[in-house]
Amino acid sequence: MRINKVILIFKKDWREIRRNWQILLPIFVIPFMISVLLPMFILSTPSIISMPASSLAGIENLMKNLPKNIQTEIKEMNIQQALIYIMLQYFIAPFFLVIPIMVSDVIASDSFAGEKERKTIEALLATPISDDELFMGKVLVAFIPAVIATTVSFLLYSVVVDLYSLRLLNGKLILPNLTWLLLVFCLSPTVALTSIGLTVTISTKVKGFREAQQISAGITIPILFMLIFGQVMGIVILGPQMIVFLTISFLVANFFLFGIGISLFGREEILSKLV
Amino acid sequence: MHAIETLELTKKFGSTVAVDKLNFEVEEGEIFGVLGPNGAGKTTTIRLLTCLLAPSSGSAIVGGFDIIKDSIRVREIVGVQTENPSLYERLTAYENLDFFAEAYNVSGEQKKRRIRELLEFFGLWEFKDKKVGTFSRGMKQKLSIARSLVHDPNIIFLDEPTSGLDPESAREIKDLMKSLSKQGKTIVFSTHILGDAEKLCNRVMIINKGKKIALGALEELLSNTNKKILKIALRKLDQKVIDAIKCFKQVKEIRVDNSTSTVSVVLNASEEVTPEIIKSVVLNGGLILSVNVANQSLEDVYLRIVRGNNVEN
Ligand SMILES: Nc1ncnc2c1ncn2[C@@H]1O[C@H](COP(=O)(O)OP(=O)(O)OP(=O)(O)O)[C@@H](O)[C@H]1O
Ligand SMILES: [Mg+2]
């Protein structure tokens, strides 16, 4: 594999994406909503912030059922603080995974299915760039922005959350911590790759980039909802062990997905299926 | 060595046989025309020879390389203008050529010079920083041809190169093809414009339903048939006259053009029988404006070959 050819594909695709507001818009807006608007909304909801302690009495019992490690984390907080801490530390985490999934899905479907749909794939396939280089360049153009968007979102989220915790948790900073570092730097890149692998596989079968995007999202979003509800119901807690477990599971899934994606990405087959 | 040599080259899409056991050779420096009706398999043949599709069976050697085993080498040495312009609409004309130049391993000063040369030749230099999405169809077509030449390939495939171009631009492309061929480049092109084939090609291949139905130098194809056409322009068309002409056994076919009141009579052999035909037209009351004897044009030959082929099937 020639790295300069991989970079060439990457730069070409990125240039196209940069000029496409249909792609840029979701890439900027959704991470901003999740990393800034969502925590601000939670923090500014009066029913949580200024609820009289008495009305939270019922919740106290609920909290007693939380896993041991969380209990120790919130031991010295009052109920309001504990509630907000749990929201910011645990509840938003699965939402955060929407960022790498969505960014890589939107870009990969444009880069793979979109190039087919706009019929630019033919001249590209006629060049002496190998299948591997082409595939790698296109995976990277979806993967790198996904990782950057996730990291930047994490920084923004940290600022919002820490500004709050500095004031209300007696100078204690919530972020960064092990759970979130694992979430952002291990699980997020892994699920980004899962999303890309899915999109690539689907792109070889469908005509348009919208279809590819929707089917891929249709598969990944329900998994996220399972995580979200799992947490709300107290079945899953996105702690460090859970995140490592999920990362490994998705890595294994990726292994198979990319195997399928690469085998379907035979260049001399792509045009045959272009009807 | 042949520039291109195919051996029983075949491509099937499901039950459709798009290219059916094609065997042909193209010499170095030759301009080789591929003719055939819509859906004949011209584009598919070009895609097979440029390694865009893998053949279902058979093989081909292009520029000394096997299209199956050495597909990357084949892609390096051929240039292809695809049926669709296949350009990145969000990139500028310059950025498009820049990307493809790098993809074909052309870089640095050489790349800049080459791109400028091509854009200037095609009259696109002043639009070099405009997004291709804003280009007219003809401009895209020119840019797409420019792209096929960006790495100065020795074998060039052009899929309907003059489609969508104004007469002047079409002329420029044809002149370009001739001058490339003089430099020793091999050109394979498909077209529906028989006049282009007539002017440009050393040899043509006519295909229909994926099968080769004729191949050879144009003069050969034309002279083989040795048929003459008698064009009789009348003041007024009259069925009686047409029926009278039909009675001659030397008459193979009659075509009537109502708009010009002209009857074209295809004769089986020589024009020996002309005086008798004229006489019978006059006797049947036809008022003759003019009479012309012509060799069959390429169009006549082409249509006859293609139709003949259709009848057989
Ligand atoms: N990707 C494909 N899938 C299925 N069938 C195809 C595909 N590409 C071409 N065909 C079929 O193969 C046959 C040959 O098509 P091809 O495009 O080679 O014809 P052509 O000679 O270039 O026609 P035209 O003059 O219209 O450009 C047609 O019957 C077409 O429907
Ligand atoms: Mg065609």
Side-chain angles (χ1 to χ4, degrees):
Chain A
M1 198 180 324
R2 297 163 298 178
I3 297 301
N4 63 337
K5 299 295 173 213
V6 174
I7 295 172
L8 181 70
I9 299 289
F10 177 88
K11 285 205 309 212
K12 189 274 291 171
D13 270 19
W14 179 240
R15 204 175 244 158
E16 279 191 284
I17 284 157
R18 237 174 42 205
R19 295 176 187 171
N20 190 347
W21 63 265
Q22 286 187 328
I23 295 185
L24 286 189
L25 203 66
I27 291 183
F28 280 102
V29 172
I30 293 181
F32 183 75
M33 278 168 42
I34 291 170
S35 61
V36 178
L37 298 184
L38 185 61
M40 295 221 306
F41 175 75
I42 289 175
L43 290 173
S44 64
T45 304
S47 57
I48 302 176
I49 294 293
S50 55
M51 242 186 279
S54 61
S55 70
L56 291 172
I59 297 177
E60 208 161 351
N61 287 328
L62 247 170
M63 288 191 172
K64 293 221 173 76
N65 294 327
L66 285 172
K68 281 258 155 47
N69 54 337
I70 300 185
Q71 298 262 6
T72 49
E73 284 169 26
I74 60 175
K75 203 165 56 197
E76 282 155 23
M77 302 177 188
N78 65 32
I79 291 180
Q80 281 174 15
Q81 288 171 331
L83 197 58
I84 289 178
Y85 172 80
I86 288 168
M87 288 257 202
L88 296 178
Q89 170 71 12
Y90 294 101
F91 178 67
I92 292 190
F95 284 99
F96 220 80
L97 291 174
V98 170
I99 298 169
I101 290 175
M102 190 272 317
V103 171
S104 55
D105 179 21
V106 169
I107 297 180
S109 49
D110 188 76
S111 167
F112 283 89
E115 183 134 359
K116 232 169 67 168
E117 189 174 19
R118 294 187 288 267
K119 301 205 168 88
T120 53
I121 189 95
E122 188 167 2
L124 180 63
L125 294 178
T127 65
I129 292 178
S130 74
D131 286 6
D132 298 348
E133 290 156 356
L134 208 58
F135 191 82
M136 191 53 134
K138 284 182 170 291
V139 167
L140 285 182
V141 85
F143 182 69
I144 291 175
V147 169
I148 292 175
T150 314
T151 309
V152 170
S153 302
F154 174 60
L155 292 178
L156 290 175
Y157 184 65
S158 300
V159 170
V160 174
V161 169
D162 285 342
L163 279 180
Y164 159 79
S165 68
L166 261 183
R167 259 189 318 127
L168 291 180
L169 296 182
N170 313 324
K172 185 182 174 245
L173 292 183
I174 297 182
L175 292 173
N177 58 38
L178 179 65
T179 306
W180 273 81
L181 290 177
L182 285 172
L183 180 82
V184 170
F185 296 107
C186 294
L187 186 55
S188 294
T190 312
V191 295
L193 285 177
T194 309
S195 170
I196 295 169
L198 262 177
T199 311
V200 171
T201 307
I202 293 161
S203 292
T204 60
K205 295 284 170 206
V206 300
K207 243 186 283 175
F209 75 96
R210 290 223 170 276
E211 258 174 282
Q213 199 176 310
Q214 284 156 4
I215 297 175
S216 167
I219 296 174
T220 42
I221 298 298
I223 299 179
L224 276 182
F225 270 95
M226 273 158 54
L227 273 183
I228 293 169
F229 281 107
Q231 278 213 124
V232 171
M233 312 283 280
I235 304 167
V236 212
I237 296 294
L238 275 181
Q241 294 94 333
M242 187 63 190
I243 291 178
V244 169
F245 169 76
L246 285 174
T247 304
I248 291 168
S249 315
F250 277 106
L251 273 178
V252 173
N254 288 351
F255 191 76
F256 288 105
L257 259 179
F258 274 85
I260 297 170
I262 290 169
S263 70
L264 289 175
F265 189 73
R267 78 194 290 150
E268 281 144 349
E269 292 304 313
I270 292 177
L271 284 179
S272 305
K273 290 174 190 138
L274 203 73
V275 189
Chain B
M1 192 182 74
H2 302 297
I4 298 170
E5 194 177 341
T6 73
L7 190 81
E8 303 281 299
L9 191 64
T10 304
K11 180 69 188 179
K12 292 181 188 151
F13 296 108
S15 59
T16 325
V17 187
V19 171
D20 198 357
K21 297 194 182 121
L22 275 189
N23 288 301
F24 66 93
E25 283 117 39
V26 180
E27 305 304 326
E28 265 173 45
E30 185 178 18
I31 303 185
F32 187 83
V34 182
L35 305 179
N38 292 129
K42 303 180 292 296
T43 299
T44 307
T45 305
I46 290 177
R47 285 177 171 173
L48 288 168
L49 295 176
T50 51
C51 304
L52 282 162
L53 290 174
S56 309
S57 63
S59 67
I61 307 287
V62 175
F65 298 107
D66 189 299
I67 58 164
I68 300 166
K69 292 189 215 105
D70 277 324
S71 65
I72 293 243
R73 299 307 305 277
V74 173
R75 287 193 199 106
E76 267 167 8
I77 56 159
V78 308
V80 55
Q81 173 245 321
T82 50
E83 193 170 39
N84 282 299
S86 204
L87 296 159
Y88 297 106
E89 307 229 322
R90 287 201 161 81
L91 304 188
T92 66
Y94 195 97
E95 287 166 344
N96 265 282
L97 292 190
D98 191 82
F99 168 72
F100 283 100
E102 294 279 353
Y104 283 103
N105 305 317
V106 183
S107 52
E109 278 308 307
Q110 193 196 355
K111 171 183 78 180
K112 287 186 189 149
R113 207 174 339 109
R114 185 75 183 151
I115 295 177
R116 175 155 196 163
E117 206 174 271
L118 285 168
L119 286 177
E120 279 178 346
F121 177 86
F122 287 97
L124 295 171
W125 181 248
E126 57 177 310
F127 305 105
K128 68 177 172 27
D129 296 323
K130 287 249 176 337
K131 299 231 178 86
V132 171
T134 66
F135 278 20
S136 73
R137 190 178 127 128
M139 289 161 85
K140 286 182 191 165
Q141 179 82 353
K142 289 183 199 173
L143 190 59
S144 159
I145 297 173
R147 180 194 53 213
S148 71
L149 302 174
V150 78
H151 54 305
D152 199 16
N154 281 327
I155 303 177
I156 302 155
F157 292 88
L158 304 170
D159 201 345
E160 303 187 28
T162 56
S163 87
L165 295 184
D166 61 51
E168 198 193 334
S169 308
R171 176 57 152 285
E172 280 165 20
I173 303 294
K174 283 180 265 178
D175 289 344
L176 173 70
M177 287 166 69
K178 278 188 210 149
S179 87
L180 287 169
S181 145
K182 283 214 189 80
Q183 294 164 33
K185 313 271 184 200
T186 309
I187 300 175
V188 174
F189 80 111
S190 79
T191 186
H192 289 289
I193 305 167
L194 297 166
D196 285 1
E198 208 158 8
K199 274 184 224 115
L200 289 167
C201 291
N202 304 89
R203 292 186 307 145
V204 297
M205 172 169 74
I206 301 178
I207 58 176
N208 193 11
K209 294 177 179 161
K211 287 200 177 72
K212 173 174 85 180
I213 48 179
L215 187 151
L218 276 170
E219 308 90 77
E220 251 172 70
L221 290 183
L222 290 172
S223 64
N224 268 350
T225 61
N226 191 27
K227 292 193 174 61
K228 299 282 176 184
I229 295 187
L230 195 59
K231 278 199 165 164
I232 309 171
L234 298 166
R235 178 164 289 162
K236 200 167 137 287
L237 280 178
D238 185 347
Q239 192 56 42
K240 215 168 86 186
V241 171
I242 294 165
D243 291 340
I245 300 173
K246 274 187 189 152
C247 293
F248 288 85
K249 69 173 192 304
Q250 293 91 335
V251 171
K252 181 148 190 297
E253 194 188 334
I254 297 182
R255 288 199 292 271
V256 181
D257 182 346
N258 286 311
S259 62
T260 56
S261 304
T262 304
V263 183
S264 298
V265 184
V266 182
L267 299 176
N268 246 331
S270 67
E271 59 261 53
E272 288 278 276
V273 70
T274 306
E276 281 77 23
I277 292 178
I278 302 296
K279 192 172 157 197
S280 113
V281 170
V282 174
L283 286 178
N284 282 287
L287 297 172
I288 298 173
L289 292 175
S290 68
V291 178
N292 272 310
V293 181
N295 279 315
Q296 269 194 321
S297 67
L298 177 59
E299 188 179 340
D300 294 308
V301 176
Y302 170 81
L303 289 175
R304 198 175 46 74
I305 292 177
V306 169
R307 283 187 191 142
N309 176 259
N310 272 336
V311 172
E312 280 164 32
N313 288 291

